[in-house]
């Protein structure tokens, strides 16, 4: 954001202190300045209404205990006319490719996670959370119900990632 809009204040939030430590290391490696980080719950953001010109999330939504509430919070803290953008993993939704993706994600990823990261549980949770999560058209409808306008999405990464954008 600061690269395209210098002078803007950028704030990153996660409720995991461990993830915030990773973020601090990454920001330091990029010599990024003017980016604040804080521990915050996406279901109760510690910001006033209409604070930000743009609110984004990356791979957050499928982890929320209450998706509608999280979308409502993103909209609440966005200025009128500002944008809400959400990146999330999704099933490709194309017969054939969907099956291949399913085998890779449900069978291969947990094995790789166990071998490389030593954490099979985390890489079993990952495909399960994608499986449970709403498909892109339904997420677009939920964003609209949360009060966002002109919601659209496009698929990236061979259809496995969806980028949703809506206006507050
Ligand atoms: C898959 S990670 C993505 C992390 C980071 N956004 C990225 O793209 O690398 C999902 C993150 O969502 C965070 N998370 C889940 N529920 C949350 C909530 N209610 N409030 C804040 N963060 C939450 C987790 O702590 C975790 O760091």
């Amino acid at each position: 954001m600061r690269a395209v809009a210098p002078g803007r204040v950028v704030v990153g939030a996660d409720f995991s202190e461990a993830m915030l430590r990773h973020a601090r290391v990454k920001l330091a490696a990029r010599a990024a300045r003017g980016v604040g980080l804080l521990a915050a719950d996406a279901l109760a953001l510690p910001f006033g209404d209409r604070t930000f010109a743009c609110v984004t999330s990356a791979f957050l939504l499928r982890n929320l205990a209450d998706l509608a509430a999280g979308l409502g919070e993103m909209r609440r803290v966005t200025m009128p006319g500002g944008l809400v953008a959400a990146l999330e993993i999704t099933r490709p939704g194309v017969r054939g490719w969907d099956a291949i993706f399913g085998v890779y994600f449900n069978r291969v990823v947990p094995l790789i996670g166990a071998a490389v990261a030593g954490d099979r549980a985390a890489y079993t949770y990952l495909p399960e959370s994608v499986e449970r999560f709403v498909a892109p058209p339904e997420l677009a409808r939920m964003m609209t119900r949360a009060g966002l306008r002109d919601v659209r999405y496009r698929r990236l990464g061979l259809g496995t990632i969806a980028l949703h954008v809506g206006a507050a």
Side-chain angles (χ1 to χ4, degrees), residues 13-20 26 39-45 57-65 87-89 125-126:
D14 195 299
F15 67 9
S16 159
E17 286 292 348
M19 289 302 272
L20 291 171
K26 284 185 170 181
D41 186 350
L43 302 182
L45 290 171
S57 70
F59 312 113
L60 164 76
L61 297 184
R62 78 193 136 78
N63 300 297
L64 292 178
L87 204 56
E88 193 47 271
I89 306 172
Y125 166 78
L126 173 63

Side-chain angles (χ1 to χ4, degrees), residues 9 26 36 49-50 55 68 78 90 94 103-104 110 135-136 148 155 164:
V9 173
K26 284 185 170 181
D49 296 355
R50 307 171 175 196
V55 175
T78 306
T90 186
V94 176
V103 170
Y104 168 73
L148 294 163
R155 288 177 178 271
H164 285 70

